[in-house]
Amino acid sequence: MNVQWYPGHMTKAKRNMQEDCRLVDLIIELVDARVPLSSRNPDIDRLGQGKARLILMNKSDLADPALSAVWKAWFESRGAFVVLLDARASSGMKAVNRVIEEACHEKRERDRKRGILNRPVRAMVVGIPNVGKSTFINTFAGRAAAKTGNKPGVTRGNQWIRLNKNVELLDTPGILWPKFEDQQVGIRLAAIGSINDNILDLTELCGYVIRFLHKKYPGALRKRYPAVEEETAAKENGAYAILEEIARLRGCVGRGGEPDVDKAVLLVLDDFRSGRLGQATLEEPMR
């Protein structure tokens, strides 16, 4: 499956981000903990050179905890500050505040020596579509400060948000990059919902999810859909046969009692993306 998606407004967003980088002390990058590397825009590394970096591994409640710990250590070994996060929960925001202070300690010391006191840290919040930037900002601020939505690309314009006397955030639209050099990156992003479903072959995408779960998390499909023979996933057209069985199990049938595979596809993808198929991470760090 070939996946490419780069709406026109993202070109402008990238250009604006490049200009706004000059105004900030810290770049807070949200990634999806289920695809920590695939959900990073490589352009951000170039745009953010010389800035302190904080990576928030959001949706960690949906990811494999063991692999999240491995990824956290991997990012930290490359000089980033890292926090595992569920952006919907206010309980994790104290850790974010603490790490922001740690990440910007040297900047505050430089300001102090220059006689600049009490200037708030200015942080830019970046990330690809649908990783939870707006949800994070609203939870962090304790109010509805940024637009939220479950469709990629809801935030279209930059906006400054003063959280308190210590921190100001610059929200930015989610941007992808023009071409996925590795098609597996595009497929992983499609699987977690970061690419518009309307441009995808959802049956093929669901087949990928089914085969992945059978290989890496055996038993996850059977636990959610009892009586499904998930070993079939390894066979040719096996994923489609599993979808037909799930359609029957969940009453997704059309005329003549035929299984409605299209409905089963939507059901499985929704179950996967929401974590009802268990905590899963789609990639491991490069050695």
Side-chain angles (χ1 to χ4, degrees), residues 112 169 187 189:
R112 186 181 61 80
L169 293 183
I187 292 170
L189 291 176

Side-chain angles (χ1 to χ4, degrees), residues 3 92 127:
V3 179

Side-chain angles (χ1 to χ4, degrees), residues 13 16-17 20 24 26 28 30 122-128 131-138 144-148 154-163 168-175:
N16 290 343
M17 183 182 296
D20 291 336
V24 303
L26 171 69
I28 300 175
L30 273 84
R122 287 185 167 180
M124 177 187 290
V125 182
V126 300
I128 69 169
V131 291
K133 296 185 305 300
S134 296
T135 300
F136 159 68
I137 290 172
N138 290 338
K147 297 177 183 178
T148 59
V154 167
T155 309
R156 292 296 182 93
N158 296 0
Q159 51 184 325
W160 281 101
I161 299 159
R162 189 176 180 89
L163 297 182
E168 292 181 351
L169 293 183
L170 176 62
D171 187 22
T172 62
I175 58 171

